[in-house]
Amino acid sequence: MGDEMNHTKVGGIALGVLVSGSLFVGCGSDAGTGDYPSKSVDLIIPNSPGGPNDTSARIVGECLSGELNETVVPKNVEGASQAIGTRELMTAEPDGYTIAISPHTGLTLTPLLDDIGFNYEDVTPIASVFETAMIFVTSKDSEFKTGEDFFDAAEENPGEIKVGTPGPTSPKQLVLDALRSEYEVDLKAVPLDGQAGQVAAMLGNNVDVVAVEATNDVREQIDAGKFVPLAAIGADRVNWLPEVPTLPELGFENAALPNNVYLAFGPKGLPDDIVETLEAGIKNCMASDKVIKPLGELFVPDPFLGADDTAAMLKDAAETYEAVVAAE
């Protein structure tokens, strides 16, 4: 792993390798303790099929089936920036038979922007399974060749440079808000249909820049010379883009945001022994080629983040987002 990141890696994922609604039937080692599990486990995915969270959750779920020797049943419950699926998880019995995997922003950022009635303190963290950095990229045809070019132009042309984001409650939108409120860098946000919509818009030169996750779909465009990386949105450089500066290095420290971590979690009050069983199973999965290869090595948290470390990550991310939102 590169020195540019603290405890995790970033990278890409092969999307669409698993079919929505399929069942994961266990046939591996037994990570369970006592009578748990004795039946199938529902895995709520609070996002639409085919995206990074859906695909990564299904990969981990398939492996976890083998670890638990029970079927894991993936269930997409999308809508309201993950709130609908997360609320279904929260209303389930804390017995280990309903868990979820989703980006931490639904528990740390969305509650600060919308009155959804819950936050990260209302669930039981189990483990972190996936992580991406966020970056600004532009087209090879752009006048911007570096982060300095981009921000110099933004300061000279307030409100004119169009930046594609996944939507108004995303961390990518928040960084634009922070740049405006903290540094008077006024970029015109253009909400698009998720990362796929952002990539398509950038390829079509329908926006000037996009704020995206540094996943394989973006890396492929950079490697092909179609996209030019401008700046890392986090505090650390992306390990496969060591030459690309961070927002703090460009003078925008207060606009930097945490990487997007995807975690497994259960309802509040999940018993410790069940947490330990699920954590052990996921830990084995995150060390298995069955997970590492399809996720992409650069995606896998390293070292492994179990329940306690994931809880600390949530708290730190929530505090960072709260400070940025409060400064607007």
Side-chain angles (χ1 to χ4, degrees):
M1 181 178 66
D3 293 334
E4 294 80 15
M5 299 188 67
N6 291 332
H7 60 258
T8 53
K9 301 178 179 180
V10 297
I13 184 170
L15 300 180
V17 298
L18 297 170
V19 178
S20 175
S22 61
L23 302 183
F24 304 141
V25 181
C27 56
S29 63
D30 185 4
T33 58
D35 294 331
Y36 175 81
S38 60
K39 62 179 182 179
S40 63
V41 176
D42 289 337
L43 173 60
I44 292 176
I45 306 171
N47 301 87
S48 59
N53 183 54
D54 176 66
T55 306
S56 60
R58 290 171 181 274
I59 291 168
V60 175
E62 182 176 27
C63 178
L64 186 59
S65 292
E67 293 294 324
L68 298 177
N69 282 325
E70 289 291 348
T71 304
V72 172
V73 185
K75 179 181 180 183
N76 293 93
V77 185
E78 59 188 286
S81 299
Q82 307 165 37
I84 294 175
T86 303
R87 191 175 299 282
E88 180 169 325
L89 176 281
M90 291 170 56
T91 60
E93 289 293 323
D95 55 10
Y97 293 103
T98 304
I99 61 174
I101 292 179
S102 76
H104 78 281
T105 50
L107 299 168
T108 57
L109 175 58
T110 303
L112 299 174
L113 303 177
D114 288 328
D115 184 15
I116 58 177
F118 63 83
N119 62 24
Y120 71 96
E121 295 178 325
D122 297 308
V123 302
T124 301
I126 298 169
S128 298
V129 300
F130 184 73
E131 179 172 3
T132 62
M134 296 179 287
I135 56 176
F136 287 111
V137 300
T138 191
S139 165
K140 65 179 177 61
D141 300 320
S142 172
E143 62 183 286
F144 314 135
K145 304 304 178 185
T146 66
E148 289 86 351
D149 291 344
F150 170 43
F151 286 109
D152 286 347
E155 291 173 354
E156 294 170 3
N157 303 279
E160 294 185 14
I161 296 175
K162 296 183 291 184
V163 178
T165 75
T169 61
S170 72
K172 291 85 167 178
Q173 176 64 52
L174 183 61
V175 74
L176 300 191
D177 295 340
L179 286 167
R180 182 182 302 108
S181 62
E182 289 282 309
Y183 301 101
E184 298 183 352
V185 176
D186 187 7
L187 297 161
K188 183 177 181 180
V190 179
L192 299 167
D193 186 16
Q195 178 135 322
Q198 291 177 279
V199 170
M202 193 73 267
L203 287 171
N205 288 316
N206 297 319
V207 291
D208 300 306
V209 173
V210 287
V212 292
E213 297 195 20
T215 47
N216 258 353
D217 53 347
V218 172
R219 187 176 187 178
E220 289 169 0
Q221 301 299 335
I222 292 173
D223 289 345
K226 295 181 180 180
F227 284 1
V228 176
L230 299 173
I233 291 173
D236 301 307
R237 293 194 178 199
V238 179
N239 56 2
W240 55 272
L241 293 171
E243 75 285 359
V244 176
T246 66
L247 285 184
E249 289 171 335
L250 291 168
F252 307 108
E253 181 176 2
N254 293 339
L257 297 179
N259 288 349
N260 200 5
V261 179
Y262 298 60
L263 69 143
F265 57 97
K268 190 171 184 177
L270 195 63
D272 289 345
D273 60 335
I274 293 178
V275 173
E276 291 168 3
T277 297
L278 291 166
E279 179 185 31
I282 292 173
K283 183 176 183 179
N284 288 343
C285 287
M286 303 317 294
S288 168
D289 284 345
K290 293 180 180 179
V291 170
I292 294 173
K293 287 184 177 180
L295 280 186
E297 184 179 1
L298 295 175
F299 255 125
V300 178
D302 181 14
F304 173 73
L305 302 181
D308 291 342
D309 288 332
T310 299
M313 177 276 297
L314 287 171
K315 184 174 185 295
D316 289 345
E319 289 175 351
T320 298
Y321 285 131
E322 186 174 2
V324 174
V325 171
E328 293 182 13

